[in-house]
Amino acid sequence: MKIFSLPIKIVNLVRRLIAQLPPNNIAASIHNFLLDEYPRKNNNETKTSAPLVAVEGVEDPLYYGLFAILSAELSKVSGSQSSLLLTRSINASIGTSPIARLERSQFIGWLTASQWWRANKPFINGIGYRSQSYDHPIGDLVDGLRSLFLWGKLQFQNNKNISSVKIKDLPVGDLIIDSYLRFRPAPSFCISDWFVLKILWQAHRDIRRARRYFNKRRPALYLTTYATYLEHGIAARAAVQAGVKVLSFGNFTRFGKELTTEHWFHTPDTRKYKEQFENISNNYSCLAQAEQLLEFRLAGGIDSATSYMKTSAYSGNESANHDVHGAVIVFLHDFYDSPHVYDNLIFEDFWSWICFTVEILSSSGVLFYVKPHPNQISLSDEAFASLCKKYPDLKILPSGTSNLQLAKAGIKCGISAYGTVIHELAYLGIPTIACASHPHIAFDFCRTAKTIDEYRSFLLEPGVSPISQEEMRKQALAFVYMHNLHHNGHDLALRKQFLELWKSAHSEINPASELINQFNKLKNLPEFKLFINDLAYQITNNGKSKCSNHQQLKLS
């Protein structure tokens, strides 16, 4: 029967491509809901005096609905018009099979993106640009030659880590690495792989298109999902460089996080958390609130900070069979997750990080265990099996082992590139080692290496605690408060509703009607109206906010 599998896949692909709208039942339900809420208008009219809002067009029902609502509501309040950026390219498929190559092709990309454009057309005024188009063949050819030259150059440089590589003065090295790991897919980055050349070529093309659009059209606002990978990161960074206000809706600590040249990651900017907490009067009560939340998590609960996890890291009880007293625990990440979602990671990928860590700890005679990520994808299971084959003497803890039990058993230290386990262990009095600008970077309870040599020195003395256990616990609670609770009521309400929306979109059992119900709740939330009104004021007044944190704005 395998002989028929490829033709059947091709037939199914053709059937999907000839559909007028995206062949996605949830997207179709959202489309009908949006048409009822926002009657179709004549979007062919162009008002040059109206503020322009650029919108990332992704093939995701959640963000399709969210951005359509944001665009329509902003238009009602400010008279703005909107432009869709269709960034489908490398992200069109995972793998290098014939089907994957076909799905990534320019023609298939154009057909699929056109379906999502037709779905957006009643609420969006036009297309800003397409990452895959036939509009500039000569420019694409030149970009291909430039990519080939850069690819060859990078393979002969002494330092193979390309995280800091720039193309036309735009930092893209981290986006290239993460896109390779995710869509090749592979647990480790390989500069000599031809797939890197394909990514480099797409990066050149995207930069040229994004720069032309943002520098020429100068939208007042750009709405993006995330800021990782090529399809999100290049447009977001090009917009920021062009002086455009950019809002990302890719994390749960802030509904619409503004990106800047100092921090253009969709993850929260936490560098001033400690300073801000110390400026709060009577912050002892804040510590009590944080402790209640953290104790809930340690008891196996999943809060907003860990909502992406299907299983809590504190819900298991499998550590009884392992004597971990005095041991170092290395907490693995999902090998295919974006390793550069936080800045300044000193390794190219999680594979090189764990291999370096294992080899240094092993050579120094340190007792250590490795614990797999409790929510890693199946591909990471294969990568972990390869890791065990490479290091057959590796001591492994089950992924269901409770971190609370590990702490009670007397572990010496925890090691993570940038995980949430860092502040959780600090609360339990356990020192940690990290190697990226993790969310806890403002505090002192974690030793964070800025270079490979510094990381090696930390590993050779894993039991060193930078501050007392009492101070670690206090600072961990301060972090939890700043990260999860330090928002005014308006922001917290938006955060909470966006989280409910995200959960509905990613639920395997909830029907489309529940997702639409959550969209309705968001749209009718008084705090959402305040958010829209303030944003409308900003885009019509050169970015100046009418109020601080949407607190004083009156409902229209």
Side-chain angles (χ1 to χ4, degrees):
M1 296 299 292
K2 289 185 178 180
I3 193 173
F4 299 107
S5 62
L6 182 59
I8 291 174
K9 288 181 180 179
I10 293 176
V11 169
N12 290 335
L13 177 61
V14 171
R15 291 178 62 185
R16 296 202 311 267
L17 292 173
I18 62 177
Q20 180 73 7
L21 295 173
N24 180 304
N25 292 334
I26 296 179
S29 298
I30 294 172
H31 181 71
N32 293 331
F33 159 72
L34 292 171
L35 287 177
D36 289 340
E37 294 295 316
Y38 306 103
R40 188 184 299 270
K41 60 182 179 180
N42 183 9
N43 282 341
N44 294 322
E45 298 180 1
T46 301
K47 301 176 183 178
T48 56
S49 60
L52 179 63
V53 176
V55 177
E56 183 186 16
V58 292
E59 299 161 24
D60 183 318
L62 167 64
Y63 287 105
Y64 160 58
L66 176 63
F67 287 171
I69 290 172
L70 286 168
S71 299
E73 293 292 337
L74 281 171
S75 180
K76 286 198 301 185
V77 177
S78 68
S80 61
Q81 295 193 314
S82 50
S83 179
L84 195 69
L85 309 188
L86 295 167
T87 58
R88 174 191 172 96
S89 58
I90 297 296
N91 58 309
S93 185
I94 294 177
T96 56
S97 67
I99 287 292
R101 295 184 187 187
L102 182 63
E103 290 180 337
R104 285 197 187 98
S105 68
Q106 198 150 310
F107 177 65
I108 299 300
W110 185 86
L111 287 175
T112 303
S114 295
Q115 292 177 335
W116 285 91
W117 158 235
R118 287 191 287 270
N120 278 280
K121 195 173 182 180
F123 326 105
I124 305 289
N125 296 86
I127 297 177
Y129 70 84
R130 296 173 183 252
S131 288
Q132 290 179 310
S133 70
Y134 299 100
D135 295 342
H136 307 283
I138 296 177
D140 290 346
L141 177 60
V142 172
D143 285 337
L145 295 174
R146 288 172 173 165
S147 302
L148 184 61
F149 174 78
L150 178 58
W151 186 47
K153 179 182 176 182
L154 292 173
Q155 292 183 62
F156 288 100
Q157 69 179 17
N158 292 329
N159 181 8
K160 300 299 184 183
N161 192 335
I162 70 164
S163 300
S164 59
V165 163
K166 296 181 180 180
I167 295 177
K168 298 179 181 178
D169 294 324
L170 187 74
V172 294
D174 57 327
L175 304 178
I176 290 168
I177 293 172
D178 290 8
S179 295
Y180 176 87
L181 300 177
R182 183 71 181 92
F183 299 109
R184 172 67 168 95
S188 61
F189 183 73
C190 178
I191 187 64
S192 60
D193 191 336
W194 67 268
F195 196 71
V196 176
L197 174 59
K198 184 174 182 63
I199 294 174
L200 285 169
W201 185 37
Q202 188 61 53
H204 275 88
R205 299 169 74 200
D206 280 340
I207 290 171
R208 177 165 49 85
R209 286 163 166 77
R211 281 264 175 82
R212 181 187 295 115
Y213 174 78
F214 286 109
N215 290 332
K216 182 179 179 181
R217 296 298 306 276
R218 297 284 180 180
L221 175 67
Y222 176 48
L223 304 177
T224 184
T225 54
Y226 304 97
T228 49
Y229 309 116
L230 294 189
E231 71 271 20
H232 311 304
I234 287 181
R237 294 179 183 186
V240 169
Q241 282 191 342
V244 175
K245 183 182 181 68
V246 180
L247 294 186
S248 166
F249 295 81
N251 77 69
F252 302 126
T253 61
R254 179 77 181 181
F255 182 75
K257 184 230 174 183
E258 184 169 2
L259 309 187
T260 66
T261 53
E262 292 185 352
H263 197 275
W264 50 26
F265 303 89
H266 66 260
T267 48
D269 185 357
T270 64
R271 292 172 296 178
K272 295 184 179 180
Y273 270 9
K274 185 180 179 184
E275 175 186 346
Q276 291 170 345
F277 182 80
E278 291 173 348
N279 289 331
I280 298 175
S281 59
N282 191 28
N283 56 25
Y284 288 103
S285 62
C286 302
L287 296 178
Q289 295 177 50
E291 185 171 25
Q292 184 177 7
L293 186 151
L294 195 50
E295 286 290 343
F296 167 75
R297 188 191 306 173
L298 295 179
I302 295 179
D303 55 24
S304 61
T306 56
S307 58
Y308 61 91
M309 299 180 70
K310 295 180 181 179
T311 304
S312 168
Y314 295 90
S315 60
N317 58 359
E318 300 183 61
S319 63
N321 296 327
H322 300 274
D323 183 9
V324 297
H325 181 77
V328 171
I329 310 298
V330 183
F331 296 88
L332 292 186
H333 298 263
D334 189 321
F335 288 101
Y336 297 88
D337 205 358
S338 172
H340 296 92
V341 71
Y342 295 103
D343 199 9
N344 299 320
L345 179 66
I346 62 178
F347 293 93
E348 270 193 330
D349 48 55
F350 291 135
W351 180 266
S352 58
W353 163 72
I354 187 57
C355 289
F356 183 90
T357 303
V358 167
E359 289 169 9
I360 296 299
L361 292 176
S362 297
S363 63
S364 62
V366 173
L367 173 64
F368 72 97
Y369 288 83
V370 170
K371 181 188 174 187
H373 194 283
N375 291 277
Q376 65 187 24
I377 62 175
S378 57
L379 281 174
S380 267
D381 293 338
E382 297 176 13
F384 182 68
S386 298
L387 183 71
C388 294
K389 184 177 181 180
K390 183 174 182 178
Y391 304 106
D393 296 329
L394 206 58
K395 294 180 175 63
I396 310 298
L397 290 174
S399 61
T401 304
S402 165
N403 292 342
L404 181 59
Q405 288 185 339
L406 293 176
K408 290 181 177 180
I411 64 174
K412 180 186 293 185
C413 174
I415 298 175
S416 170
Y418 53 61
T420 58
V421 70
I422 292 173
H423 72 267
E424 295 164 357
L425 290 182
Y427 175 73
L428 298 170
I430 308 297
T432 50
I433 297 171
C435 55
S437 294
H438 50 84
H440 326 87
I441 198 69
F443 295 93
D444 308 313
F445 50 74
C446 176
R447 289 188 293 163
T448 303
K450 296 180 176 60
T451 66
I452 296 291
D453 288 340
E454 187 177 30
Y455 184 62
R456 179 187 290 108
S457 69
F458 287 171
L459 294 179
L460 293 176
E461 296 183 300
V464 173
S465 182
I467 53 178
S468 68
Q469 287 189 338
E470 181 181 356
E471 184 63 19
M472 287 171 63
R473 181 183 177 91
K474 178 181 177 182
Q475 288 194 20
L477 291 175
F479 166 80
V480 170
Y481 178 80
M482 295 301 301
H483 202 61
N484 299 278
L485 302 170
H486 183 59
H487 301 276
N488 62 62
H490 297 79
D491 289 333
L492 284 175
L494 282 171
R495 264 187 55 188
K496 181 179 179 181
Q497 183 52 42
F498 180 59
L499 178 58
E500 293 302 316
L501 185 64
W502 189 90
K503 287 180 178 178
S504 294
H506 292 83
S507 170
E508 297 178 355
I509 57 174
N510 283 344
S513 58
E514 177 57 27
L515 180 57
I516 291 172
N517 180 47
Q518 296 300 332
F519 271 125
N520 254 323
K521 288 183 178 180
L522 175 68
K523 189 173 70 70
N524 295 320
L525 200 67
E527 291 80 4
F528 182 71
K529 297 179 186 294
L530 297 175
F531 177 85
I532 290 293
N533 287 349
D534 187 32
L535 199 53
Y537 184 88
Q538 291 182 49
I539 65 177
T540 54
N541 289 274
N542 298 318
K544 296 179 180 179
S545 178
K546 189 174 182 180
C547 61
S548 174
N549 294 323
H550 325 303
Q551 287 182 331
Q552 303 300 321
L553 196 62
K554 294 182 178 180
L555 288 170
S556 63

